[in-house]
Structure formats: structure tokens, C-alpha cells
Amino acid sequence: MAVLTGAGVSAESGIPTFRDNNGLWRQFRAEQLATPEAFANDPELVWEWYDWRREIIAAAQPNAGHLALVEIERRVPHFTLITQNVDDLHERAGSRNVIHLHGSIFVQRCLRCSRESSGPRPPKCVCGGMLRPGVVWFGEALPPEPRFAAEDAVRESDLLLVIGTSGVVYPAAGLVYMAKRVVEINPSSTPLSSRMDERLEGPSGEILPRLIA
Ligand code: OAD
């Protein structure tokens, strides 16, 4: 089994999604905060925004949906959890086989030597280079390793659960078209809904525990 999660799976932990009514892209402009050009233009502003999001995520706790996915992983023989989220709530809940398509908000990467480090952000890389958030921005390619691992996992699985994603950001959303059977868990319908074999309508923190029961 494979699972693709988006910001909706962390919504019940108090982490804002991007495109819902109170979503980040309703309050902030992506092109000023989440592109390589934005960072080149005003790195301090971009870091301030990511530091603010880091604090929200660090203070949040995994919810019943994250925990149910841990239980599913324990029960099925082959399980891959593919997430677009840059938070660490799947890992903190106890999920083991997790692929991050869009990087991690707790990682910083050097613009000069590409070295990555996690934990508190030092002012500069050990090489003296400037650090950027270790996430994927608009206009950037996905890192190939997680992308291909995710595609393999979806192709090899009998079932893909698509949880809490608006399904508008590619290539992540394209995984749905590689799946044998797809089930969507989301309180709202999405552009991917018509492709689904089944839809379970509701918040993942309620639907996933019920699925196990
Ligand atoms: P979005 O904010 O686009 O979509 C969130 C989805 O979660 C919506 O379809 C909601 O209906 C659904 N949702 C809300 N509350 C939920 C709940 N309690 N349970 C289940 N679903 C719920 O977030 P993503 O699809 O993750 O990328 O966004 C994809 C990418 O766009 C992100 O990874 C980020 C963003 O820009 C980058 O920054 C590269």
C-alpha cells in the first residue's frame, strides 16, 4: 500500500494548509516567499517566514490521522508513506517508511556547497556559504531520489490512499495516475476526485481511525 499526504493531514494539528479558507496562500504571496527569485531578492524575509512556520510545527502534535497511518503501516506488509508536507509529524507519530517530496522545514542547505544540516539554523554554512531552507520551491524540480522512490512505490502498490491534498501541485499529484486503485480522503472534492475509485469524505483525523476500526 502507498499513501500520499498533503497539508490537510496536519490541519487538525493546527498547522495551516495552503489553499483552504485560512490557508497560507490566502494570506501570503507564494512568489514573494517560496521561489528561488524571492530568496535572492529578500533572504531575510523568506527566512523570517520559514522560521515562523518552523515554530508552529515544532509546537504542534501529531493527530489521530497521523497515528492511524502508523497503525496501518504496522498491519500491512509493504507500506510507503509519501508526503508533500515539510513538517515532521508523520515521523513524530511513529511512521517509519516516509518519503518527503518537498523536503523538510527543519533542514537548511548551503547555496554554495549544497551541504545539508538539520537542527537550529547557524548564521552561515561551515564553508562560509549562505543557507537556504531545505524545501522545494515553486519553479524547482523535485529531488530525483524521493521522486523516483515514490513513483516505484505507487506502481508496486495495489492501493494508493490520497489524504488531505488539493491535488493541484505536480509532479506529486501525478502519482495518482500511476496507481492501480485510488481512494481519496478529504472533506472537499478536488480536481483528482473524478479519477478516484472511492472517496471517503471527511477530516482524516476522523476517517482514518474509523477505517482501522
Ligand atoms: P492544500 O492547502 O493545497 O490542500 C489541502 C487539502 O486538505 C484540501 O484539499 C483540503 O480540502 C484538505 N483538508 C483540509 N482539512 C483537512 C482534514 N482535516 N483532513 C483531510 N483533508 C483536509 O495543500 P497541499 O495539497 O498539501 O508546496 O499543497 C500542495 C503543495 O502546495 C504543498 O506541498 C506546498 C504548496 O504550495 C510547495 O510549497 C512546493
Side-chain angles (χ1 to χ4, degrees):
M1 182 193 289
V3 174
L4 172 66
T5 63
V9 81
S10 296
E12 288 155 271
S13 296
I15 299 175
T17 64
F18 295 95
R19 296 175 184 82
D20 289 306
N21 277 340
N22 297 320
L24 294 171
W25 298 151
R26 303 279 176 134
Q27 308 166 54
F28 301 101
R29 290 168 59 99
E31 55 277 26
Q32 287 176 352
L33 295 166
T35 65
E37 294 76 24
F39 189 70
N41 191 38
D42 194 342
E44 279 314 309
L45 176 74
V46 171
W47 266 121
E48 204 178 298
W49 190 67
Y50 277 92
D51 285 341
W52 169 70
R53 288 179 57 205
R54 279 184 181 200
E55 280 174 31
I56 294 174
I57 291 168
Q61 296 303 324
N63 64 56
H66 296 108
L67 295 170
L69 289 170
V70 179
E71 181 59 22
I72 294 174
E73 179 168 22
R74 212 177 58 78
R75 291 193 198 180
V76 304
H78 301 286
F79 180 91
T80 309
L81 178 39
I82 304 156
T83 187
Q84 298 166 83
N85 298 345
V86 295
D87 69 47
D88 59 350
L89 293 187
H90 286 306
E91 285 87 350
R92 278 202 270 142
S95 287
R96 299 166 78 95
N97 194 18
V98 185
I99 296 175
H100 281 268
L101 288 178
H102 292 165
S104 162
I105 201 160
F106 296 109
V107 167
Q108 44 265 336
R109 185 167 68 248
C110 178
L111 281 178
R112 191 198 281 173
C113 73
S114 299
R115 183 179 286 131
E116 291 191 343
S117 62
S118 55
R121 173 167 67 97
K124 292 235 177 249
C125 177
V126 286
C127 82
M130 190 173 179
L131 295 169
R132 60 158 281 177
V135 301
V136 175
W137 281 327
F138 288 103
E140 293 186 313
L142 295 190
E145 213 174 291
R147 179 178 177 180
F148 296 141
E151 291 177 357
D152 287 347
V154 170
R155 286 203 189 91
E156 285 160 14
S157 296
D158 296 331
L159 174 67
L160 174 67
L161 290 183
V162 178
I163 308 170
T165 179
S166 59
V168 296
V169 173
Y170 283 77
L175 290 170
V176 164
Y177 298 94
M178 299 172 191
K180 295 193 182 83
R181 188 176 153 71
V182 210
V183 174
E184 181 172 57
I185 299 177
N186 198 311
S188 312
S189 63
T190 72
L192 299 175
S193 296
S194 59
R195 164 72 180 84
M196 297 294 156
D197 294 289
E198 205 172 321
R199 294 199 61 247
L200 301 171
E201 208 168 294
S204 46
E206 290 173 24
I207 301 276
L208 282 167
R210 255 196 275 154
L211 208 61
I212 293 175

